[in-house]
């Protein structure tokens, strides 16, 4: 076995939450290209099924779709059980489902706040906890990669997104906390922090705002989801066996300046 084989995900059974579109979909495809068998977890079952079908047809791996609202502990547990029933085991999770809200903090209602926290923070925790339980049960050194954001490190302008930023900072520190707590089991927990990435999420923003972002990004452009895939694959793979609690910022230098 050569050194580069450590980057291979061949035969690993990996769940991707929020995998029906955007970053989750593209990273799922890349991991499948690297040999992983993939479970797409999303609110939208039909779209998830389409992505899973495309993945199995294109990459010749096993792929399945599961409806799962990550804010529901029962949904997460049931979908994960269904995945393990279909795939035999679980090796890794790309814990990626998330939502954003642009709203002045003075106008953010309790319901707005709770919704963002529920998906971006509670959901990420439920998925990580349920995965870790299954890894421990099987004595498996599983890997979890959470999607945080550069918004967990800096405050974006001009948009007002206090609730989003707070949850993403929470994801970064939750990642470190879980990494330390579960180190004794050999479970690794890392996060990625993307900068501005072209997806369905950012496509719905005001073009004038995107222009303002472009002028602030040292790379002079937004990134694409495939530019995140290598980082996720690294953290998920056996090339990263001494890496846990890390946050990999991939942002075209946005947070560097
Ligand atoms: P998208 O909105 O394109 O995709 C997110 C997917 O997650 C959608 O399919 C969405 O379904 C699903 N989802 C939302 N809520 C839930 C839920 N409760 N349970 C299960 N699935 C859910 O977003 P991106 O691909 O752009 O973002 C993916 C992640 O990356 C998010 O965590 C986001 O915060 C983060 N991120 C994105 C950046 C960007 O610039 N795009 C930058 C930094 C971080 P539905 O469409 O039905 O809501």
């Amino acid at each position: 076995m050569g050194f580069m084989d450590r980057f291979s995900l061949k035969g690993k059974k990996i769940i991707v939450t929020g995998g029906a579109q955007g970053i989750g979909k593209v990273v799922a495809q890349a991991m499948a290209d690297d040999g992983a068998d993939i479970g797409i977890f999303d609110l939208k079952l039909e779209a998830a099924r389409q992505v899973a079908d495309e993945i199995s047809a294109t990459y010749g791996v096993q792929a399945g779709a599961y409806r799962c609202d990550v804010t529901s502990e029962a949904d997460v547990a049931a979908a994960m059980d269904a995945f393990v029933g279909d795939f035999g085991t679980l090796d890794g999770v790309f814990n990626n489902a998330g939502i954003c809200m642009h709203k002045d903090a003075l106008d953010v209602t309790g319901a707005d706040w709770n919704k963002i926290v529920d998906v971006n923070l509670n959901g990420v925790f439920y998925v990580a906890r349920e995965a870790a339980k299954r890894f421990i049960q099987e004595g498996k050194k599983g890997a979890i990669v959470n999607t945080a954001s550069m918004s967990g490190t800096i405050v974006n302008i001009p948009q007002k997104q206090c609730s989003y930023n707070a949850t993403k900072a929470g994801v970064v520190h939750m990642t470190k906390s879980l990494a330390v707590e579960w180190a004794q089991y050999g479970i690794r927990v890392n996060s990625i922090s993307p900068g501005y990435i072209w997806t369905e999420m950012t496509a719905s923003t005001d073009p004038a705002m995107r222009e303002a972002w472009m002028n602030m990004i040292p790379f002079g452009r937004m990134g694409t989801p495939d530019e995140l895939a290598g980082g996720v694959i690294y953290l998920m793979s056996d090339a990263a066996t001494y890496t846990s609690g890390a946050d990999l910022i991939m942002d075209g230098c946005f947070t560097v300046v």
Side-chain angles (χ1 to χ4, degrees):
M1 202 172 103
F3 180 79
M4 291 306 288
D5 292 325
R6 295 188 196 179
F7 288 92
S8 171
L9 299 180
K10 195 163 175 48
K12 289 193 191 284
K13 322 290 181 198
I14 297 176
I15 288 168
V16 178
T17 70
Q21 66 180 46
I23 292 168
K25 174 181 172 180
V26 173
V27 171
Q29 290 167 336
M31 291 195 295
D33 194 26
D34 196 31
D37 298 311
I38 300 285
I40 302 287
F41 282 30
D42 206 283
L43 289 173
K44 301 177 302 251
L45 182 58
E46 263 324 296
R49 190 166 286 142
Q50 223 171 335
V51 172
D53 289 350
E54 274 170 29
I55 283 177
S56 53
T58 308
Y59 304 104
V61 298
Q62 186 181 353
Y66 304 84
R67 195 203 172 272
C68 174
D69 179 347
V70 297
T71 68
S72 158
E73 294 181 75
D75 258 28
V76 171
M80 234 177 247
D81 283 343
F83 175 90
V84 172
D86 293 342
F87 287 73
T89 188
L90 173 67
D91 295 287
V93 178
F94 181 38
N95 198 358
N96 164 78
I99 56 173
C100 189
M101 181 188 294
H102 292 173
K103 209 170 186 182
D104 204 292
L106 295 173
D107 298 325
V108 170
T109 63
D112 292 335
W113 181 268
N114 287 337
K115 185 172 178 197
I116 297 282
V117 170
D118 215 12
V119 180
N120 292 5
L121 204 51
N122 298 348
V124 169
F125 176 69
Y126 299 149
V127 170
R129 185 194 61 198
E130 290 306 306
K133 278 185 193 168
R134 286 157 181 79
F135 295 152
I136 291 164
Q137 226 164 23
E138 289 192 39
K140 178 161 279 186
K141 295 181 176 176
I144 297 168
V145 180
N146 297 322
T147 303
S149 168
M150 67 172 176
S151 311
T153 299
I154 49 92
V155 175
N156 310 70
I157 51 171
Q159 71 273 31
K160 310 286 196 317
Q161 49 176 43
C162 158
S163 56
Y164 182 82
N165 296 347
T167 59
K168 293 302 186 177
V171 171
V172 171
H173 206 62
M174 188 205 309
T175 299
K176 295 178 199 293
S177 307
L178 297 178
V180 171
E181 203 167 317
W182 295 340
Q184 61 182 310
Y185 304 112
I187 297 170
R188 295 182 303 102
V189 191
N190 292 288
S191 58
I192 62 161
S193 277
Y196 290 113
I197 306 294
W198 275 114
T199 66
E200 287 83 341
M201 182 187 270
T202 42
S204 62
T205 54
D206 177 7
M209 186 178 292
R210 292 203 298 267
E211 192 56 38
W213 297 344
M214 232 68 95
N215 292 327
M216 288 187 270
I217 304 169
F219 271 36
R221 65 174 178 85
M222 292 172 66
T224 51
D226 58 294
E227 295 182 289
L228 306 173
V232 179
I233 287 173
Y234 165 65
L235 293 170
M236 198 66 83
S237 76
D238 294 342
T241 45
Y242 202 55
T243 302
S244 196
D247 179 47
L248 180 55
I249 301 180
M250 293 181 273
D251 66 352
C253 282
F254 193 92
T255 57
V256 177
V257 292

